[in-house]
Amino acid sequence: MKEFGYQRATDVAGALAALDTHPGARFLGGGTNLVDLMKTGVERPAHLVDVRDVPLPGIEPTADGGLRIGATVTNSDLAAHPEVRRRYPALTQAVLAGASGQLRNMATVGGNLLQRTRCGYFTDVSKACNKRVPGSGCPAIEGEHHNHAVLGASAHCVAVHPSDMGVALAAFDAVVSYETQDGPGETPITEFYLPVGDTPHLETVLPPGALITGVTLPPAAVASRSRYRKVRERASFAFAIGSVAAALDIRDGVVREARVALGAVASRPWRARTAEQVLTGAAADAETFAAAAEAELAPARPLPHNRHKVPLLRNLVTAVLTELAEEAAR
Ligand code: SF4
């Protein structure tokens, strides 16, 4: 492991200044991904600025009825918060489906959004990888890709984003806030991750040196009837093969509002707007739910060894929507 400097920041201005002062520095939250990548040499920061003591808001109601979540809130505290559980249950379910209890106690909201792909070529510095070393190639396309992308990929990278939390946040139109030396900024999470294109090493719209300070969930009555379902290779602790966050508002047998987002299908949490269009205004029945899933996955371009993900996702979306409709009918 490369030698590195370490310091704790106690406020946002100090954190930004510390990063600016040390070329090659990185912010450290819970460290549950960054430290692993440092051990394997994928990440080689010269200096770490620990931001866990930076006073950011915990989880607070916003004036318009949403929730503001501080970036250093741990995944455990987010999942357990009574207002998150009551108003955005799919978010609690998504967070609890991620990692282990020990990791959730350390991992932060900001760090979760910035975690890197678990593509085996990316995490092995002896292999080529366009995301790690731009222009070196993407061996996953011809090699091991059973859990790689089926939507939105490119000839330069087919990795998937590993976050469960991000999928629920995408379904609920969360907004990411950050601070820079030039002032604050914010961006909807659905625009936070850059398209892969020919620059897979560029992952988010965050300006250089920016510190994520929080995530805001707008008010969304539909979110109170929501669900997150994750399929993985072992029940205890694994990244998703496919996942879905969905919410339905059904009145008189008709879908008035729908939210659907998919995980483990693309380089970012995938907001399923085509499915939502099919659902909105249609009869809340099995035929509609299957048509919505089918429409969303129509552009899927699986690789030879991940074709199973398309029917898996189709069935997953249909099943979760059916369960939400049955719940609404009770
Ligand atoms: Fe690297 Fe992306 Fe290819 Fe994986 S899929 S080897 S992360 S370029």
Side-chain angles (χ1 to χ4, degrees):
M1 195 167 176
K2 182 187 162 196
E3 194 171 321
F4 61 91
Y6 172 88
Q7 74 183 95
R8 284 176 190 256
T10 53
D11 56 34
V12 171
L16 294 172
L19 203 81
D20 209 31
T21 309
H22 296 89
R26 294 286 305 274
F27 291 126
L28 176 72
T32 56
N33 185 216
L34 177 58
V35 173
D36 281 351
L37 294 173
M38 288 170 65
K39 289 177 185 169
T40 54
V42 174
E43 297 269 13
R44 297 170 61 80
H47 192 82
L48 291 181
V49 180
D50 190 332
V51 295
R52 283 174 295 181
D53 291 340
V54 172
L56 297 169
I59 301 175
E60 299 173 348
T62 58
D64 64 357
L67 283 182
R68 161 93 178 171
I69 303 160
T72 52
V73 168
T74 66
N75 288 4
S76 295
D77 287 346
L78 175 63
H81 195 277
E83 287 303 297
V84 176
R85 293 166 61 101
R86 184 174 69 85
R87 292 157 62 183
Y88 307 91
L91 178 55
T92 284
Q93 293 163 16
V95 174
L96 292 178
S100 64
Q102 292 94 331
L103 288 168
R104 291 194 296 271
N105 286 341
M106 288 297 293
T108 63
V109 168
N112 188 303
L113 297 178
L114 294 179
Q115 66 179 301
R116 313 296 300 280
T117 183
R118 267 47 174 208
C119 171
Y121 300 101
F122 174 76
T123 54
D124 181 347
V125 293
S126 72
K127 301 289 194 301
C129 170
N130 283 330
K131 188 182 278 295
R132 184 166 30 74
V133 183
S136 62
C138 176
I141 291 173
E142 297 291 330
E144 165 53 46
H145 55 239
H146 81 282
N147 197 19
H148 284 60
V150 296
L151 289 166
S154 80
H156 301 273
C157 180
V158 291
V160 293
H161 196 273
S163 176
D164 293 294
M165 183 185 82
V167 181
L169 291 178
F172 299 145
D173 286 326
V175 175
V176 181
S177 302
Y178 55 85
E179 285 282 349
T180 72
Q181 294 276 41
D182 298 324
E186 61 179 31
T187 184
I189 193 168
T190 49
E191 296 166 23
F192 182 71
Y193 298 99
L194 293 165
V196 185
D198 58 2
T199 54
H201 59 293
L202 303 177
E203 297 183 350
T204 75
V205 299
L206 274 185
L211 174 66
I212 295 179
T213 52
V215 173
T216 302
L217 286 165
V222 67
S224 64
R225 177 165 290 120
S226 63
R227 189 164 294 201
Y228 183 77
R229 176 77 56 80
K230 172 178 180 178
V231 176
R232 48 187 159 177
E233 289 179 343
R234 57 178 176 175
S236 59
F237 173 19
F239 292 97
I241 301 170
S243 69
V244 58
L248 285 181
D249 177 9
I250 299 170
R251 286 181 225 166
D252 302 323
V254 173
V255 177
R256 302 295 175 188
E257 186 176 356
R259 302 287 184 92
V260 185
L262 307 180
V265 298
S267 62
R268 57 191 159 93
W270 187 266
R271 181 69 179 269
R273 295 196 190 278
T274 304
E276 292 175 1
Q277 283 169 9
V278 172
L279 290 164
T280 306
D285 58 23
E287 198 174 315
T288 297
F289 300 152
E294 192 73 41
E296 189 64 45
L297 291 159
R301 296 291 175 267
L303 295 158
H305 305 300
N306 68 0
R307 294 189 196 287
H308 59 282
K309 294 182 87 165
V310 178
L312 183 150
L313 263 297
R314 192 187 300 130
N315 293 340
L316 192 59
V317 170
T318 306
V320 169
L321 293 173
T322 302
E323 289 170 13
L324 287 168
E326 288 172 353
E327 192 180 301
R330 277 185 215 130

